Amino acid sequence: MWAKINIVFGFLWLASKEIGNCSRNHINIIISAVNTILASPIEYLKGVGPLRADMLKKELEVFTFNDLLQHYPIRHIDKTKVSKISDINFQTEYIQVAGRLMQFDVIGEKRARRLVAQIKDATGILELTWFQGINWVQKSLYVGSDYLVFGKTTYFNGKAQMVHPEIEVFIPTKMGGAAFLEPVYPSTEKLKARGLNGRQLAKFTYTLLQQLTPNDLPENIPASVLKDLKLLGRYEAIAGIHFPTSELHFKKAMERLKFEEFFIAQIRLQLVRLQRNTISKGVVFEKVGSNFNDFYQHYLPFALTGAQKRVIKEIRQDTARGKQMNRLLQGDVGSGKTIVALLSMLLAADNGYQSALMAPTEILAQQHYQSLTSLLKEMPVEIALLTGSTKTAERRRILKGLQEDTIHFVVGTHAIIEDKVQFKNLGLVIVDEQHRFGVAQRARLWTKAVVPPHVLVMTATPIPRTLAMTAYGDLEYSVMDELPPGRIPITTVHRNEMARASVMGFVKEEIAKGRQAYFIYPLIEESEKLSYEDLMQGYEQVKSFFPEPNYLISMVHGRQPSDQKETNMQRFVQGNTQIMVSTTVIEVGVNVPNASVMVIESAEKFGLSQLHQLRGRVGRGSEKSFCILLTGSKASKEAKERINIMCATNDGFKIAEKDLEMRGPGDIEGTRQSGALNFKLASIVNDKGLLEKAKEKAEKIVEQDLYLDSTENAMLKNYLSSQQLKHGWSKIS
Ligand code: ADP
Ligand code: MG
């Protein structure tokens, strides 16, 4: 049993990338696993040596033979193809031509001193230029001979030339031989200056591959999967991505390696998910009791939507079966996630457990606290707010209350998962609007109770399915795809700065009807000061259109002390002020149903999901709402596209897909550090199909063989532990 548990934690540890606390038995495996040729330091490769090795490490993070194998080419050049010189134009990059060397000239002085040669074929003349090794080139090439010349063409004084071409004697019979694609590797200027250009890297890789046998690159995908998907074996694929024998070989190699990346990641996630499901005990919420029922019957302010009911049912099932729940709840802005959280907390209370609700900002925590307090005012549950700015005495009271279980619900920021906060009986943790809560943080919750609490993660806006599969693949998955009834769709328009007066006029009309409005300014990332000045300027401008005492304005920004933020927020929530001027601190979760206009200043500076989030602050009541995107005149093409999308749809799921497409996964908030997205070749945007397949296969494998004990999965298991240990190893050394 111990061994099994160790594996589980090993994989958990692996998935969370929390390397460092390497236990004894991990180290044991390290030694056996890295004792292969691939783990050899790069200096041991023939032709590398200590100096070049240093450069490779510094510049490319190539430490071992294996790292070199994974330094993949950016493209391949078909060197069997000989072009005509007359084919060269401004678009030409790398090209190969054959012709007669016509003449040599050394021209220029000092640093501009260079050797210029001309090569002529039946169609034209191309200039070749060398800045270095002039004597050597002159000695080894002969005017009047025929050469095969390969390189990148550039234009100098309007004339095509090739600087430092690769050049060899042209032997016509060589043409039409076996197709051979030569890899081009990413290198750096520093490396090139030391002669470590892409060509040299190709040589190293070639040398290395010559040295390896298929045994050195053991398979990590089970045979049945390879067969089923007609994938290349690992050795053949790695050879093929570097030195393909044909276009097809390259394509197949790429497919196999991309699949492998997805597959390995999915196996890890599924191991975490399913092993946790199997062995981890969870607190049992066996009954629905008086808290839930009383609230549901007497205090629920509206009928639940179908989607809300479905999700609550899923949560009830998850929490009743004696296993820990780990669920991701995706819902669009305004789909009503808060009430789902509240009902789950009541369910916990019915079974004698405490709950924690965690929000990413103080403002949001405050607001959750207030809405929960007012919803629960007739209920016999004690609720507290704990954030970074909770005063000492109050904090002490709360910590004590949590330890003694006199406080049942705690709402707060990250402060509530600090080590100091101990619960008597924590049964449920809900993470709201949170993209920054990765596997590692989730694992931390396990220390909060003997039996780990159930975890419900609620996203602020939808995230694309592929992203959810990779970044949250260890979680069960719920979607709320239905908005509460009676919502009138928000109308979104784009207005130029020039139209400001008419925009203000429109806002005035809305305010005259009794509504409220937001004006949001971008946070300028590089400079808090700039953001602040921007906001202040905006504030003055808004004030000039909406003078006191007819209009009252709240302003909230990051520089205010939190009690001041809170007061200003509250004045707007209560309707004492008609206008809220703010930076994006307001972005997340804020709920003022009477607000019907959202004006976003410099909208071109916002990302799509942020725009969608902001827009979600209106359209929460029964009135028609508007979102006005104001831009200056010079928005980039992408910015215009974002704005067009915003004007075209209110559907957060669609917007999320578009956002991912436009920005790529690396930039989607909070996922960068997830580790689950560090793919070298595969892309969750372009290789969706492969990802789906990888997930399907991985799920099936782990479902059937939870500890990968079967012979069929032995190689995969070996590979996983060697990888795990490779990371641990590099940290140790
Ligand atoms: P989000 O999913 O963005 O967190 P909230 O939980 O803040 O959404 O809910 C948005 C608004 O919709 C709130 O004013 C809430 O009271 C209201 N709401 C939630 N569920 C329903 C429902 N089933 N019927 C009517 N209004 C609802
Ligand atoms: Mg919310």
Side-chain angles (χ1 to χ4, degrees), residues 301-305 308 331-339 368 432-433 460 480 484-485 487 589 591 593 617 620:
F302 36 68
L304 295 182
T305 63
Q308 285 169 325
D332 206 344
V333 178
S335 59
K337 294 179 287 278
T338 314
I339 204 75
H368 269 320
D432 186 27
E433 316 278 5
M480 287 210 315
R487 293 274 169 81
N591 188 27
R617 299 309 107 214
R620 305 191 140 235

Side-chain angles (χ1 to χ4, degrees), residues 600-619:
I600 303 179
E601 301 271 355
S602 305
E604 72 275 11
K605 295 195 177 135
F606 293 85
L608 260 182
S609 78
Q610 214 176 14
L611 288 172
H612 182 60
Q613 255 297 306
L614 286 168
R615 175 169 61 186
R617 299 309 107 214
V618 295

Side-chain angles (χ1 to χ4, degrees), residues 160-444:
Q161 64 163 2
M162 210 180 258
V163 178
H164 285 226
E166 289 170 26
I167 184 161
E168 57 188 282
V169 175
F170 179 58
I171 306 165
T173 52
K174 202 171 160 182
M175 299 294 96
F180 187 70
L181 296 169
E182 190 169 302
V184 178
Y185 292 91
S187 181
T188 66
E189 285 311 316
K190 266 193 185 158
L191 284 175
K192 281 181 198 155
R194 305 268 172 117
L196 283 174
N197 55 15
R199 191 108 214 270
Q200 187 58 51
L201 290 171
K203 276 188 194 155
F204 289 156
T205 309
Y206 191 74
T207 309
L208 176 56
L209 277 168
Q210 295 279 294
Q211 231 172 295
L212 297 177
T213 66
N215 283 340
D216 297 315
L217 286 166
E219 189 49 67
N220 55 13
I221 298 177
S224 61
V225 177
L226 287 181
K227 192 164 158 236
D228 197 18
L229 300 179
K230 302 194 176 61
L231 296 172
L232 288 189
R234 189 140 178 269
Y235 178 84
E236 213 185 325
I238 289 182
I241 194 167
H242 291 287
F243 297 98
T245 52
S246 66
E247 294 277 355
L248 183 66
H249 186 195
F250 178 73
K251 231 178 96 198
K252 295 292 289 177
M254 198 67 160
E255 182 193 15
R256 142 81 208 210
L257 292 173
K258 282 179 175 177
F259 179 84
E260 176 185 321
E261 286 182 341
F262 282 147
F263 178 74
I264 295 296
Q266 286 299 318
I267 286 278
R268 284 182 176 145
L269 290 164
Q270 297 312 319
L271 283 170
V272 171
R273 189 173 73 87
L274 291 169
Q275 291 185 353
R276 189 170 50 198
N277 263 347
T278 313
I279 63 148
S280 80
K281 281 213 193 104
V283 281
V284 185
F285 296 171
E286 57 186 356
K287 61 167 193 266
V288 179
S290 61
N291 285 308
F292 188 101
N293 285 329
D294 281 357
F295 181 83
Y296 201 95
Q297 277 153 29
H298 305 300
Y299 306 114
L300 188 65
F302 36 68
L304 295 182
T305 63
Q308 285 169 325
K309 283 186 192 155
R310 190 181 63 235
V311 172
I312 287 164
K313 204 164 148 198
E314 283 166 348
I315 292 170
R316 275 201 49 203
Q317 282 165 354
D318 273 10
T319 53
R321 63 193 176 142
K323 308 288 180 207
Q324 188 210 13
M325 169 179 79
N326 278 279
R327 188 168 278 280
L328 176 71
L329 170 54
Q330 282 221 61
D332 206 344
V333 178
S335 59
K337 294 179 287 278
T338 314
I339 204 75
V340 172
L342 175 62
L343 287 166
S344 315
M345 290 162 90
L346 289 168
L347 185 64
D350 277 339
N351 291 277
Y353 288 98
Q354 294 165 291
S355 302
L357 172 58
M358 208 160 87
T361 65
E362 286 219 25
I363 288 192
L364 188 61
Q366 293 267 10
Q367 178 163 325
H368 269 320
Y369 175 70
Q370 259 132 24
S371 53
L372 294 198
T373 310
S374 89
L375 283 165
L376 293 170
K377 64 180 179 291
E378 307 295 333
M379 302 289 303
V381 284
E382 225 9 77
I383 170 164
L385 174 70
L386 182 63
T387 69
S389 59
T390 304
K391 300 274 178 338
T392 317
E394 172 69 354
R395 167 178 300 265
R396 209 172 292 141
R397 182 189 76 82
I398 294 173
L399 292 188
K400 189 157 173 280
L402 289 174
Q403 229 161 27
E404 291 171 354
D405 195 20
T406 52
I407 294 176
H408 311 104
F409 297 170
V410 63
V411 179
T413 50
H414 264 74
I416 59 179
I417 57 161
E418 279 168 17
D419 292 339
K420 276 169 294 190
V421 186
Q422 290 299 326
F423 295 81
K424 177 153 186 224
N425 234 342
L426 181 61
L428 172 67
V429 176
I430 299 170
V431 185
D432 186 27
E433 316 278 5
Q434 179 57 282
H435 284 195
R436 293 167 219 108
F437 203 68
V439 184
Q441 284 97 325
R442 290 199 288 277
R444 237 179 114 176

Side-chain angles (χ1 to χ4, degrees), residues 110-173:
K110 295 202 175 133
R111 288 185 63 197
R113 194 175 118 89
R114 59 196 188 272
L115 175 68
V116 178
Q118 292 191 332
I119 189 126
K120 182 176 187 290
D121 71 1
T123 69
I125 291 177
L126 175 68
E127 214 159 74
L128 311 177
T129 307
W130 288 266
F131 292 92
Q132 272 135 36
I134 292 178
N135 291 341
W136 182 83
V137 173
Q138 241 174 330
K139 250 186 263 168
S140 48
L141 301 180
Y142 300 97
V143 171
S145 293
D146 290 339
Y147 290 97
L148 196 60
V149 177
F150 174 83
K152 196 173 180 171
T153 53
T154 51
Y155 273 79
F156 182 68
N157 287 340
K159 237 161 80 187
Q161 64 163 2
M162 210 180 258
V163 178
H164 285 226
E166 289 170 26
I167 184 161
E168 57 188 282
V169 175
F170 179 58
I171 306 165
T173 52

